[in-house]
Amino acid sequence: MSAIISCNDSTVNYDHFVLTGIPGMQEKNSWVAFPLGVLYVLTLLGNVTILLVIKTDESLHEPMYIFLSILACSDLGLSVSTMPTMLSVYWFDAAEITFNDCITQLFFIHTFQWVESGVLVAMAFDRFIAIRDPLRYRLLLPNSVIAKLGIAVLSRGFCVGFPSPFLLKRLCFCRSNVLSHSYCLHPDVMKLACTDTKVNFLYGLIMVIVTLGLDVAFILASYILILKTVLRIASHEERLKALNTCVSHICTILIFYVPMIGVSLVHRFGKHLSPIVHMLMANIYVAVPPLLNPIVYCVKTQQIRQRIYKKFLGKKTRC
């Protein structure tokens, strides 16, 4: 059992938390460990490949690919923040994590997620400019504008994630020290507190409305404007070509937001569901988007695909 320390003379406060693998079937954790390790390696390879190709090919130094490189960096950050802990739980049954390590991990998880959400908004804006005014695309989105957007996205992610560790530090934990997942999240840690969590709850709710709500609204508005612009194009072929440039971005939006919404719904309304469902949704939430994003852009973006073939296979593709 984890060590405990006094808290306000009337409660106890755990200095360790226990992460959870497969609920009730810890002896089968190794079944998840191997595929999870493969996913981790593929995630690292995919995102590093995207970054190398964009960095070394000057023809890809355009707004769309710069935003894609920021997306790859946030995916790498999310994977590095979560996967080692998850693998230690499933592979080595090393389930204990110190309180300070836990709040540090959840800070990085939430920060990288909000960075990714902000990047998706910037990419939606980029697609609107590219379709509405393709001839002045580079003029309207020079490097200085891209740099400011990148700094704004990173700063917002940091500012949203920064208060979480301090809000949790002020709480006392006496009910249990067993978390629901194989990594730390603010809502999961908060529910173990035996002191008032109203401030934490309100902070989380406000941040979701202000960030996630506004991000989704801006993305929807961008695509409404994109559709209006596309419908003005006379040629059916040109309309399809314009919409095709948005397919990768739309897939990435679905890959990011659907698991996030799914985990939130399971947490709030799925208390009657099997703990295994909660475990699967939590793992999909952090493991699948960083894995699938580079695959989507490699498959659906011809320029990326051609550069990868040329760089790593020494030949060009006709696709």
Side-chain angles (χ1 to χ4, degrees):
M1 191 69 169
S2 300
I4 56 176
I5 57 177
S6 63
C7 182
N8 297 333
D9 298 326
S10 60
T11 59
V12 293
N13 202 33
Y14 294 101
D15 63 356
H16 285 75
F17 288 113
V18 178
L19 302 170
T20 303
I22 303 176
M25 295 186 289
Q26 280 74 16
E27 71 281 359
K28 297 184 178 179
N29 278 344
S30 57
W31 289 11
V32 178
F34 180 73
L36 201 62
V38 172
L39 288 180
Y40 187 36
V41 172
L42 292 176
T43 298
L44 295 178
L45 286 175
N47 286 287
V48 169
T49 299
I50 291 285
L51 289 171
L52 284 175
V53 169
I54 293 174
K55 182 179 184 300
T56 56
D57 195 323
E58 291 189 6
S59 66
L60 297 180
H61 292 178
E62 295 184 2
M64 172 184 173
Y65 302 108
I66 294 173
F67 288 133
L68 177 56
S69 65
I70 300 175
L71 184 70
C73 287
S74 67
D75 282 338
L76 281 173
L78 181 60
S79 294
V80 171
S81 299
T82 55
M83 283 294 191
T85 303
M86 294 169 70
L87 287 172
S88 69
V89 171
Y90 288 109
W91 211 306
F92 305 109
D93 290 324
E96 282 199 348
I97 183 171
T98 67
F99 179 75
N100 287 331
D101 287 345
C102 185
I103 62 175
T104 300
Q105 183 185 55
L106 67 85
F107 161 74
F108 282 110
I109 290 173
H110 293 305
T111 296
F112 285 122
Q113 285 175 332
W114 293 125
V115 167
E116 183 156 342
S117 184
V119 173
L120 292 176
V121 175
M123 293 175 86
F125 177 69
D126 165 78
R127 289 300 82 208
F128 169 61
I129 296 296
I131 291 172
R132 189 196 66 175
D133 207 343
L135 297 179
R136 295 200 304 150
Y137 174 57
R138 290 298 285 125
L139 184 64
L140 293 172
L141 288 176
N143 290 338
S144 59
V145 172
I146 301 303
K148 290 176 183 177
L149 286 173
I151 292 170
V153 166
L154 294 172
S155 300
R156 191 195 70 160
F158 176 82
C159 291
V160 172
F162 186 71
S164 295
F166 299 100
L167 290 174
L168 290 171
K169 274 257 188 194
R170 52 183 280 278
L171 301 178
C172 289
F173 301 90
C174 58
R175 292 172 183 164
S176 170
N177 66 334
V178 181
L179 297 171
S180 303
H181 308 313
S182 52
Y183 56 88
C184 296
L185 285 177
H186 184 195
D188 197 26
V189 176
M190 180 184 71
K191 73 181 183 182
L192 299 181
C194 52
T195 47
D196 185 20
T197 60
K198 188 179 295 182
V199 174
N200 297 65
F201 175 79
L202 288 174
Y203 170 76
L205 180 63
I206 291 169
M207 287 302 101
V208 166
I209 293 172
V210 171
T211 54
L212 182 61
L214 286 178
D215 287 353
V216 172
F218 281 130
I219 290 171
L220 287 174
S222 296
Y223 272 96
I224 290 171
L225 294 173
I226 286 171
L227 285 173
K228 286 183 177 179
T229 304
V230 168
L231 290 175
R232 294 196 194 104
I233 300 174
S235 169
H236 178 70
E237 198 173 298
E238 289 297 318
R239 273 184 290 194
L240 288 177
K241 185 178 178 182
L243 288 174
N244 192 51
T245 64
C246 300
V247 171
S248 299
H249 183 241
I250 292 171
C251 290
T252 304
I253 290 170
L254 294 175
I255 289 168
F256 177 73
Y257 286 115
V258 169
M260 177 183 284
I261 294 170
V263 166
S264 299
L265 291 176
V266 166
H267 263 293
R268 296 184 191 283
F269 307 111
K271 292 182 174 61
H272 63 285
L273 296 175
S274 166
I276 294 178
V277 174
H278 288 260
M279 182 271 292
L280 287 174
M281 287 300 300
N283 289 352
I284 289 170
Y285 174 53
V286 297
V288 171
L291 171 70
L292 292 185
N293 285 340
I295 295 174
V296 166
Y297 274 94
C298 288
V299 170
K300 296 301 298 180
T301 307
Q302 182 178 343
Q303 292 90 333
I304 295 284
R305 192 167 63 248
Q306 285 178 337
R307 287 352 179 252
I308 290 175
Y309 269 73
K310 184 177 179 181
K311 185 173 184 62
F312 296 102
L313 300 180
K315 60 182 180 180
K316 293 183 178 179
T317 178
R318 295 181 180 180
C319 298

